[in-house]
Amino acid sequence: MDRLIDLIEQYPIITLFRHQAADCDALGAQFGLKQWIMERYPDKQVYALGTSLGSHGKDFPSIDCVSDALIKDSLAIILDTANAQRIDDERWQSAAYKVKVDHHIFVERYGDEEWIEDGKGATCEILAHLFQQRKEVLSKQCAEYLYLGMITDTMQFSIAATTPQMLQTAAYLLAQGVDVVKLHQLNFAKSKQDFALENYIRANYQLFEEHVAYCIVPKQAYEQLGLSFNEAKEKIYTLGNVNEFYTWALFVENGKNEAGEKLYNGSLRSRTIIINDIATRFSGGGHRRACGVKQLTKTDIQTILTLLAAKCREVI
């Protein structure tokens, strides 16, 4: 999208936003683009904004602090975020011009211009492919930010969206000096606490009908291991790769509503069944086979499991 480059060249101030509870694709896109702009256009001011970091926030640079006035004069580029409600730092709305760059299924329009490629496995892939097409020579740091985001959202190039072009783009990043071993260790290695929580999930999972596996994780289970909510909710992969599980779900406790009921955030996955329409019914979203929902009661969870089971029966 050369138009994005045109806008970057047009504005002296660029602010970069992404979604709440940022994962490596959101952070990789944010800091990868920031790194490229700083190196390509050293006279520009470019800032990465947001405060809600996921478990990998420690693996990226510190978030910038800027004034409201500066944002009003900036080009805001919002990365890896399908709907406005999830943008981390609502000041994006005051920017002089707003561009959305995303790989999720379209949910709503909120930018002055939008660049959506939902066939791509990651927002980092969109940016890396743009640089590849332009034959840009990237610094090792920039390439590593983008590669880290790609391997996260594509589960090491194992999802249905994996294409020859994706692997060619990954090869382009490798040619810029990416340390593959370091980044795979950084992203996929685990602590003993992570290992213990995964064991808890495997020991406490349940089946809803025959092909829907799920686990409800209470706050006590992850807090007594010294893990945060963000770290716990990422463990959805623990239930994957089981032949008999057509769909799987992880529900992690995260607060209470006004009535005192416990609330849960849910992560839904499948290999081949399209399930994002279920997430949409609960004001969630994401990809066709990997999506999330928030603020669920136990009753909501039972409804979601019923809907997932009905999807599974359709393919038996």
Side-chain angles (χ1 to χ4, degrees):
M1 182 184 176
D2 288 335
R3 173 63 176 159
L4 179 65
I5 306 301
D6 293 339
L7 288 169
I8 290 172
E9 292 180 343
Q10 178 182 339
Y11 282 83
I13 304 172
I14 297 115
T15 49
L16 304 175
F17 297 82
R18 40 78 189 159
H19 62 73
Q20 301 164 354
D23 57 13
C24 283
D25 188 32
L27 292 168
Q30 189 178 40
F31 284 102
L33 184 56
K34 178 183 178 180
Q35 189 75 26
W36 180 79
I37 294 172
M38 289 192 304
E39 293 168 357
R40 186 74 167 74
Y41 305 99
D43 293 334
K44 293 188 181 294
Q45 301 178 57
V46 55
Y47 304 97
L49 304 179
T51 58
S52 177
L53 298 174
S55 61
H56 282 278
K58 63 184 183 304
D59 300 324
F60 290 86
S62 299
I63 294 297
D64 297 310
C65 295
V66 300
S67 67
D68 295 351
L70 183 143
I71 293 175
K72 289 179 181 179
D73 292 332
S74 74
L75 166 69
I77 303 175
I78 303 102
L79 301 151
D80 198 39
T81 312
N83 56 311
Q85 186 179 4
R86 290 197 70 210
I87 302 173
D88 189 9
D89 193 334
E90 61 186 21
R91 293 181 298 167
W92 69 272
Q93 299 172 75
S94 68
Y97 203 76
K98 297 168 278 290
V99 179
K100 171 185 179 180
V101 181
D102 189 31
H103 75 119
H104 295 95
I105 297 169
F106 176 81
V107 175
E108 65 175 341
R109 182 179 180 90
Y110 59 75
D112 296 302
E113 295 187 37
E114 303 202 341
W115 178 18
I116 301 171
E117 292 192 42
D118 61 17
K120 289 283 196 291
T123 299
C124 282
E125 181 190 355
I126 295 175
L127 295 174
H129 187 221
L130 170 65
F131 297 148
Q132 180 187 18
Q133 289 179 311
R134 291 172 55 86
K135 296 181 170 56
E136 296 280 345
V137 176
L138 307 180
S139 68
K140 177 181 179 181
Q141 185 66 80
C142 177
E144 289 195 335
Y145 288 146
L146 297 174
Y147 185 82
L148 188 55
M150 282 186 68
I151 60 173
T152 300
D153 263 25
T154 66
M155 294 299 292
Q156 303 181 77
F157 310 113
S158 65
I159 63 172
T162 302
T163 63
Q165 179 58 67
M166 177 192 291
L167 298 179
Q168 290 166 12
T169 299
Y172 158 74
L173 294 177
L174 293 183
Q176 316 300 311
V178 166
D179 186 335
V180 174
V181 175
K182 180 190 77 173
L183 296 185
H184 280 254
Q185 182 74 9
L186 184 68
N187 199 31
F188 297 107
K190 63 191 68 174
S191 66
K192 288 189 294 184
Q193 290 86 352
D194 288 317
F195 183 69
L197 184 57
E198 291 174 7
N199 286 340
Y200 173 91
I201 292 169
R202 291 189 179 99
N204 290 277
Y205 89 90
Q206 300 179 64
L207 283 177
F208 190 92
E209 296 190 3
E210 186 178 0
H211 297 295
V212 181
Y214 72 99
C215 185
I216 298 176
V217 181
K219 183 179 291 188
Q220 181 183 3
Y222 61 84
E223 286 189 342
Q224 69 182 7
L225 291 170
L227 296 175
S228 68
F229 163 77
N230 283 326
E231 290 169 321
K233 74 180 181 63
E234 294 175 358
K235 300 297 185 288
I236 178 62
Y237 61 81
T238 306
L239 295 173
N241 298 316
V242 179
N243 290 333
E244 290 79 8
F245 300 168
Y246 293 0
T247 66
W248 53 100
L250 186 68
F251 303 100
V252 180
E253 183 184 345
N254 186 32
K256 296 181 179 180
N257 60 19
E258 293 180 356
E261 288 182 285
K262 292 179 180 179
L263 296 176
Y264 302 82
N265 282 22
S267 299
L268 315 180
R269 298 289 187 272
S270 79
R271 274 186 296 278
T272 60
I273 299 171
I274 294 174
I275 57 175
N276 66 293
D277 55 325
I278 295 175
T280 301
R281 288 181 57 171
F282 290 84
S283 302
H287 305 289
R288 292 175 177 84
R289 301 172 187 85
C291 45
V293 281
K294 294 182 178 180
Q295 304 291 89
L296 301 173
T297 64
K298 283 285 186 69
T299 300
D300 294 330
I301 290 173
Q302 289 301 306
T303 302
I304 288 172
L305 294 172
T306 300
L307 293 170
L308 289 172
K311 291 263 189 180
C312 291
R313 289 196 299 272
E314 291 175 2
V315 301
I316 294 176

